[in-house]
Every structure is written in C-alpha cells, then in structure tokens.
Amino acid sequence: MRRLPVSLLVGGTLLLVFVACALVPGWFAPYNPDAFNYTALLARPSGAHLFGTDQFGRDILSRTIWAAAVDLQIAIFAVIFPLLIGSVIGLFVGWYEGWLDIVFGRLVDLVVTFPFLVIVIAIVAILGPGLVNMYIAIATVGWVFYARLMRGEVLVQKHADYVAAARGLGYSTPRILFRHILPNAIRPVLVYSVTDMALEILLGSSLGYLGLGAQPPTAEWGVLIADGKNFFTQAPWTSLFPGIAIVLAGLAFSLTGDGLASLFELRR
Amino acid sequence: MSRGTWLVGRLLQIIPTLLLIGVVVFVLVHLLPGDIVTSMLGDHATKQAVANLRRSLGLDRTLAEQFVLFVRNALRGSFGDSLAHGIPVARLIAQRLPVTAMLTAMAVVIAVVLAVPLAFVAALRAERAPDIAIRVAFQVGLSSPIFYVGLVLLSVFAAWLRWFPVGGYGSGFLDHIYHLILPAFALALSLSAILMRNLRAAILGVIRAEYVDFARAKGIAARLVLFRHVLRNALIATVTLLGLSIGSLLGGAVVTETVFAVPGVGRLMVDSIFARDYPVIEALTLILAVVVSITFLATDILQMVLDPRIGR
C-alpha cells in the first residue's frame, strides 16, 4: 500500500469537516442562523458568539456553518454538468478525430479567448441573477475544459490492446466507448474535477458577493461577506470569518485534488 | 517553414478567431432565452415603446441582417448609446479601458516581483523548509478569493493604518498609481501563486537538465550558468504564463474594481448588469475577448523571439 500524500490527508480531513457541516448544520451551529437578536447587534466575538453577530444580531458562526451547504452545493453543481457534458463530448471527439476534432480545436481556441468570469457574468446578466442561472452559465463554457482533458486521454487509450480486443470481438462503438474506454480514461478528469471544485467555490462566492449568484437572505459565504462589508471597519468579524471559511474550503478541495493527483501519479 | 511564414500564418489566424468571437457575442445577446427588450423596459411597457426600442436596436430585421449590421458596427467601433449613461458606448469604454489596463499592468508587475525571487528560493531549496513554507503560503493565496483579499487589504491598510485611499482612482499619473496599489496587490495574488508554481517547476527542470551539467563541465562558474540558462528558460515560461493569464486577470479586474470602486471596465460591466445596460455588456464582452486574443498573438510572437526553436 502506497503512503498517502500529506496534502491528501490535510485536504481530506478539512473536506470531511465541511461535508459534515453541510449535511447536518444543526448539530454544529449553536444558534438558528436566521434568528434576530436585538440585544446583541454587531456583538464582538465572545463565548456566547464565537464569531460575533451581524447587524441583526444573527450569529455569524451559525450562518457560516449553514452556508457550507450552499457553497458545497455550488462546488458540486458547478462541476457535475460540465463534467458530464464535457466527458461525453471529449469521448466522441477523441474517438472519431477527423473534422470533429478540427471543429473542437477551434471551439477550444475560441472559448479560451473569453475571460471565464466575464463570459459567465455576461450570461448571468442575460438570464438573470441566481444560482440556477449561474450553473447554466458555468456549464455553457466549462464543459470545454473537461472535453479537452477527456479527448487527450481517449487519444492515448484508443490504441491500447484492450480496445483492439474489444473491436476484434465485434463490440459496438458505444459499448467500447462507454464500457471500456470511459472507465480507463475518467481518472484524470475526476481528479481535475476536485481541483475545479475549489475554483468553483471561489467563483460562486465571488458571484454571490457581486449579487449575481446566490441571492440574500440565502446564507452563502460570498453573500455573508457582502452583507458584512458595510460594517467592516466597526465589526470586521461579520466578513472576516465567512472569508476564512472560503479560503479553507478552497484549500480543502485543492489539496485533495493535488493529493489525489500525486497518489495516482498523474502529470499535471 | 521559415520564421517569416510562421509569423504571417499566426497573424492571419486571428481573423477567423475575431469573427467567431463576434458570432458568440451576437448569439449570446440575440438568441438566449428572455427578451432583452422586455427586460430593458420592464413588463409594464406600452406596445409602442417596445416596438420603438425593437426598431432602434434593429431587432425587427431578420437574424442574418442583424448579424451583418452587428459586424459592420463593431468594425466601425460603433456600439450604440449606453442606456444608463446616455453617451456612446465606445466613448464610455474608451474612458474606462485605460484604468483597467493600468490596474492589470501593475498587477502583472507585482506578481512577477513577488513570484520570481520566491520561485528561485523554492527551486534552489527544493523540498526543504523554505520551499515548503513558500508553497504553503502560495497555496493559501491561490485559495483566497480576490474580493476577500481586497476587503482585508482595504480594512487593514486603508481604513485602519490609513496608508492608502479606500478606493477611487485619483487624478494625475502618480496619484493613479497610489490609488491602484492595493487593488493591484489583490489582483496579483493568485497570478503570482500560479506563476511561482510554474517558475519553480521550470527552474527545477533546467537545473536538472543535461545542458547545465554540460556548461558546468565546461568550467563555467555555477552562478553564471544559473543566470544564463535558468533565467532565459524561466523568462520564456513567465512570458507564456502571463500571456495565458490575461483572461483570468481581466475577470479578476471585474471583482477588484468593484471592491475598490475603481472606475475601470470591470466595474462598468457589473454596474451595467444591474442597470440592464445591454449595449455596454455586449460591447465589453466583445472587446475583452478581442484584447485576450491579441494578447495571445503577442505572446506567441514574443515566445518566438525568445525561443529560437519556435518557427524554425
């Protein structure tokens, strides 16, 4: 058994903490995240409120914990659709090559000329702000990166002996693609998707901060920071702690991704 | 293939790219679900107002006609008037673009100044304490969203220590620089992290490469070897990465300018979204993509100049 990389251990542990917060926030949060408390407005961090309170006396720690569910949801939904669409397209592009590959190459060149955040917010601008439209915007552009990765992997795999064997047995192309090549080619794609989740949490919270992602009163880390920014000089804890949560969540995913990559000895 | 032909080929490549950028932006604005006219005027607009706006936007024509019109106008630099500002979109963007250019340029300088020495230290002390400390610090930098870094910088250096202004752009060149230092730092952080990581790998690759051993064997002083060979390769890696990062820098500028109230195109983009100022959004998406593709072109050419192997 190979030794687990340190980054995987640290990242994985952090990730477990976040997943636990997201699944059962009620077990960890000391207060109702939406309960107003007019006796403790903008209260400093203390024994009663570890992270302090906001302008309505809501407990920041509880809000930060409840927000984990929303931000992890962002990490999953912002990745799963590009992953599914991109993998299938990459599979076909890598298999058939030819004109399909030429068209795909041009498409990749084109997509990378649009600053990702700019094209995403342009699409959100037209569809309207909100999480669902944000997922649509991200999937519209993001699948290309997964397809590129999958294509490269298929180009290698299709010359493997097992593919020749499957062909010799007369298996249909879809069967070879999905039953044989896909399981062998998916690993780098899945590892990348973990790293991508870190990026999507940063993107999702940025859009939340700008008012284009999750909409208040939804507790989402970016939204919490935006809520607190007007009180940042007098009550910095309102934004400080949700921000630390973002950084730690980003670290959790990127360390896990790095760790998985070195565990499977993938080139990066 | 001679370098001349390579260059001409690369230059010509940009034409289909620009045309396709135009198609994408056109499709984005004209074909996505949701009627722009309704969202611009609201649900309670009169039929007459809707018809007038449709005509003035050219929406009453066929799609093909609209596209030709769009391309012709874009080539002339004419994007209509801003709905929110009442002045031509082109003039509005021309006012704001230099601000973003300056912010981005400063961020690049800061990122390079931070990353290059640290990458050398990390590579030369690879897998030892300095290397690990630097890599951890940069991993944290990479996981910190720009708006949060910006907010922390603002509260510490502007609100608390009062070393820098809390936002805005000031007047006069030096004042602009003074106003943009904090935003540029926020924008530079993740770029310098990525740059650091790549440079470290590039330097390690060169140090372990055979030609450095060869140069040493020839009796060239170790320090000179490092400078000549490592620096040259590191430079090529840096130029490539900086060129490829232009898109994420411009995206980051959108957030940075919003946090620091910097009057550049990024803030204009966000403001325009909330003002439903579609001509501005359309023009900005187009122009930023064009900026990126021209930067890619310039990067390729610069790479050719730096690396004698390309284009031969």
Side-chain angles (χ1 to χ4, degrees), chain B residues 204-233:
Chain B
L204 274 179
V206 174
I207 288 176
R208 290 167 186 170
E210 288 176 347
Y211 60 88
V212 172
D213 286 340
F214 180 66
R216 280 205 182 127
K218 278 198 304 189
I220 301 174
R223 196 170 293 166
L224 197 67
V225 172
L226 205 67
F227 258 82
R228 254 207 215 137
H229 295 276
V230 176
L231 218 54
R232 183 193 189 88
N233 281 278

Side-chain angles (χ1 to χ4, degrees), chain A residues 106 110 113-115 117 121 123 125-126 202 205-206 209-210 212 225 232-233 239-240 243-244 246-247 250-251 254 258, chain B residues 17 20-21 24 28 139 142-145 147-148 151 155 159 197 247 251 254-255 258-259 273-274 278 285 289 292:
Chain A
R106 295 302 305 172
L110 183 64
T113 56
F114 286 93
L117 186 71
I121 65 177
I123 297 175
I126 289 159
L202 297 193
S205 61
S206 300
Y209 176 84
L210 293 176
L212 297 168
I225 293 173
F232 206 59
T233 41
S239 297
L240 193 67
I244 292 174
I246 298 177
V247 177
L251 272 176
S254 64
D258 278 5
Chain B
T17 306
L20 284 172
I21 289 172
V24 170
L28 197 68
Q139 189 85 48
L142 207 55
S143 303
S144 309
F147 68 94
Y148 183 60
L151 219 51
S155 63
R197 185 186 262 196
V254 172
V255 181
T258 308
V259 173
I273 287 170
F274 290 111
Y278 288 97
T285 311
V292 171

Side-chain angles (χ1 to χ4, degrees), chain B residues 130-203:
Chain B
D131 180 32
I132 292 165
I134 289 171
R135 279 158 67 194
V136 168
F138 275 87
Q139 189 85 48
V140 173
L142 207 55
S143 303
S144 309
I146 290 178
F147 68 94
Y148 183 60
V149 176
L151 219 51
V152 171
L153 289 177
L154 258 182
S155 63
V156 175
F157 295 102
W160 184 41
L161 294 172
R162 296 182 189 279
W163 289 355
F164 294 99
V166 285
Y169 187 48
S171 52
F173 184 69
L174 288 177
D175 204 29
H176 292 335
I177 291 188
Y178 178 54
H179 278 79
L180 289 182
I181 285 180
L182 284 186
F185 251 101
L187 185 55
L189 194 64
S190 62
L191 175 64
S192 77
I194 297 168
L195 189 58
M196 213 302 288
R197 185 186 262 196
N198 279 271
L199 261 180
R200 178 183 171 279
I203 297 168

Side-chain angles (χ1 to χ4, degrees), chain B:
Chain B
M1 188 170 71
S2 80
R3 300 190 100 179
T5 349
W6 180 88
L7 190 64
V8 172
R10 182 63 187 85
L11 283 171
L12 288 178
Q13 243 183 347
I14 198 158
I15 295 171
T17 306
L18 292 181
L19 204 64
L20 284 172
I21 289 172
V23 174
V24 170
V25 173
F26 178 81
V27 167
L28 197 68
V29 175
H30 292 252
L31 292 185
L32 276 182
D35 186 23
I36 281 181
V37 174
T38 329
S39 39
M40 269 160 63
L41 294 176
D43 290 331
H44 307 292
T46 62
K47 281 222 166 76
Q48 189 57 41
V50 170
N52 282 342
L53 187 60
R54 291 191 76 85
R55 199 170 325 113
S56 70
L57 290 174
L59 292 175
D60 53 343
R61 307 185 197 204
T62 67
L63 221 52
E65 280 176 337
Q66 286 183 46
F67 182 67
V68 171
L69 198 69
F70 167 77
V71 171
R72 201 191 301 154
N73 283 339
L75 285 175
R76 280 204 214 116
S78 143
F79 299 100
D81 287 345
S82 154
L83 302 171
H85 300 262
I87 60 170
V89 172
R91 204 198 309 162
L92 189 63
I93 292 176
Q95 288 168 0
R96 305 290 195 96
L97 206 54
V99 183
T100 304
M102 186 142 155
L103 172 66
T104 323
M106 284 176 65
V108 167
V109 172
I110 292 172
V112 170
V113 168
L114 276 178
V116 172
L118 289 174
F120 268 94
V121 172
L124 297 178
R125 300 269 175 279
E127 304 305 332
R128 278 184 274 171
D131 180 32
I132 292 165
I134 289 171
R135 279 158 67 194
V136 168
F138 275 87
Q139 189 85 48
V140 173
L142 207 55
S143 303
S144 309
I146 290 178
F147 68 94
Y148 183 60
V149 176
L151 219 51
V152 171
L153 289 177
L154 258 182
S155 63
V156 175
F157 295 102
W160 184 41
L161 294 172
R162 296 182 189 279
W163 289 355
F164 294 99
V166 285
Y169 187 48
S171 52
F173 184 69
L174 288 177
D175 204 29
H176 292 335
I177 291 188
Y178 178 54
H179 278 79
L180 289 182
I181 285 180
L182 284 186
F185 251 101
L187 185 55
L189 194 64
S190 62
L191 175 64
S192 77
I194 297 168
L195 189 58
M196 213 302 288
R197 185 186 262 196
N198 279 271
L199 261 180
R200 178 183 171 279
I203 297 168
L204 274 179
V206 174
I207 288 176
R208 290 167 186 170
E210 288 176 347
Y211 60 88
V212 172
D213 286 340
F214 180 66
R216 280 205 182 127
K218 278 198 304 189
I220 301 174
R223 196 170 293 166
L224 197 67
V225 172
L226 205 67
F227 258 82
R228 254 207 215 137
H229 295 276
V230 176
L231 218 54
R232 183 193 189 88
N233 281 278
L235 192 66
I236 295 172
T238 310
V239 165
T240 312
L241 194 83
L242 287 179
L244 291 176
S245 303
I246 180 74
S248 60
L249 269 177
L250 289 175
V254 172
V255 181
T256 314
E257 291 176 0
T258 308
V259 173
F260 288 91
V262 174
V265 287
R267 184 171 173 97
L268 181 62
M269 180 98 185
V270 174
D271 288 347
S272 305
I273 287 170
F274 290 111
R276 299 183 179 285
D277 199 343
Y278 288 97
V280 177
I281 298 171
E282 181 182 39
L284 272 179
T285 311
L286 186 74
I287 287 171
L288 292 178
V290 170
V291 168
V292 171
S293 57
I294 290 174
T295 310
F296 284 174
L297 176 68
T299 311
D300 279 358
I301 294 174
L302 203 58
Q303 247 185 323
M304 183 190 81
V305 173
L306 290 173
D307 191 341
R309 284 169 302 190
I310 298 176
R312 290 236 188 244

